[in-house]
Amino acid sequence: MLNIVLFGPPGAGKGTQSEKIIEKYDLNHISTGDLFRKHMGEGTSLGRMAQEYIDEGNLVPDELVIKMVEVKIKSHHSPKGFIFDGFPRTVAQAIALDAMLKKQGLSITTMLALEVEDEELRSRIRLRGKTSGRADDQNDERINNRIETYKRETLPVADYYTAQSKYHGINGTGSIDQIFNDICMVIDLKK
Ligand code: AMP
């Protein structure tokens, strides 16, 4: 059983690397950003509640995120494990995730943190904005807000996993395959 937190700032490549990790290790993907976009697309009440936070590049309140993940974990119990992509983004979410997993006799195996410089993040997000259709990818003020929000609210999550000796930094610049290779080396040691 392999339960991975894929961590990193917006634009670090979490979505791209998740797809490759899932394919190789057959894990269940829980991307809170994708789940919110699905809810917004379907116009559910959760989607309507989350929309204004997301469009401005702010975090959705913890209780909404945690409830949504809990439903997913319960309904998709997989023998191989989960990859959490874009979650947890606050220490409160990390604590809640540990508690949810513990109820099922599970725990986080490792955190893989993609490390990329701010300027590179901005240019990747602007480029993605040309095709993603995402409001939060398309405006410099919102992009900067997402990066600042990451530093202020999300970076402490790295300390939380460091304290459990689960943090692994990965250089997130270079070719997609090179980064994936570095990720696999860590995962294969933990399997
Ligand atoms: P992402 O696709 O992971 O970049 O997420 C897009 C947006 O969804 C973020 O900027 C937040 O507004 C919201 N979001 C996604 N995951 C979370 C989370 N774990 N906690 C709070 N907000 C989130």
Side-chain angles (χ1 to χ4, degrees):
M1 188 89 181
L2 199 59
N3 295 309
I4 296 172
V5 171
L6 189 60
F7 189 76
K14 297 187 295 295
T16 305
Q17 294 297 333
S18 281
E19 279 176 27
K20 295 177 77 69
I21 297 168
I22 291 154
E23 199 188 338
K24 178 162 178 183
Y25 297 97
D26 197 19
L27 301 179
N28 227 304
H29 188 207
I30 297 191
S31 158
T32 42
D34 286 353
L35 289 171
F36 281 128
R37 280 184 287 279
K38 189 161 181 281
H39 276 281
M40 292 192 299
E42 290 169 357
T44 67
S45 62
L46 176 58
R48 286 197 301 276
M49 279 189 276
Q51 177 115 36
E52 62 176 303
Y53 297 100
I54 293 174
D55 284 352
E56 292 304 318
N58 294 320
L59 293 186
V60 177
D62 284 338
E63 68 261 32
L64 295 181
V65 186
I66 291 166
K67 217 174 272 170
M68 180 176 76
V69 171
E70 193 159 27
V71 170
K72 270 286 176 205
I73 289 181
K74 281 188 182 150
S75 65
H76 286 276
H77 197 80
S78 134
K80 299 256 173 88
F82 293 101
I83 176 161
F84 297 95
D85 162 4
F87 177 88
R89 259 176 158 102
T90 63
V91 171
Q93 292 178 19
I95 292 170
L97 177 60
D98 273 351
M100 284 183 241
L101 291 174
K102 199 171 172 197
K103 271 193 215 158
Q104 317 236 7
L106 307 173
S107 61
I108 291 297
T109 314
T110 185
M111 166 192 257
L112 302 169
L114 294 171
E115 295 164 350
V116 178
E117 296 294 327
D118 288 2
E119 219 18 76
E120 171 74 11
L121 296 173
R122 285 192 197 94
S123 74
R124 286 188 192 179
I125 298 172
R126 277 191 216 108
L127 189 68
R128 183 172 70 187
K130 292 189 177 150
T131 52
S132 71
R134 287 175 52 171
D136 60 343
D137 279 349
Q138 303 205 7
N139 164 300
D140 280 354
E141 206 180 304
R142 290 174 191 162
I143 294 172
N144 284 332
N145 186 32
R146 287 165 68 198
I147 295 173
E148 290 312 314
T149 301
Y150 169 80
K151 290 183 182 165
R152 196 177 57 246
E153 300 188 48
T154 304
L155 259 186
V157 176
D159 298 333
Y160 179 85
Y161 288 99
T162 301
Q164 299 184 14
S165 308
K166 291 180 177 173
Y167 178 94
H168 288 274
I170 305 273
N171 180 357
T173 42
S175 76
I176 290 174
D177 286 338
Q178 178 57 53
I179 298 165
F180 182 57
N181 213 42
D182 292 348
I183 287 176
C184 293
M185 280 193 338
V186 177
I187 295 178
D188 292 340
L189 279 175
K190 298 281 164 193
K191 265 201 306 178

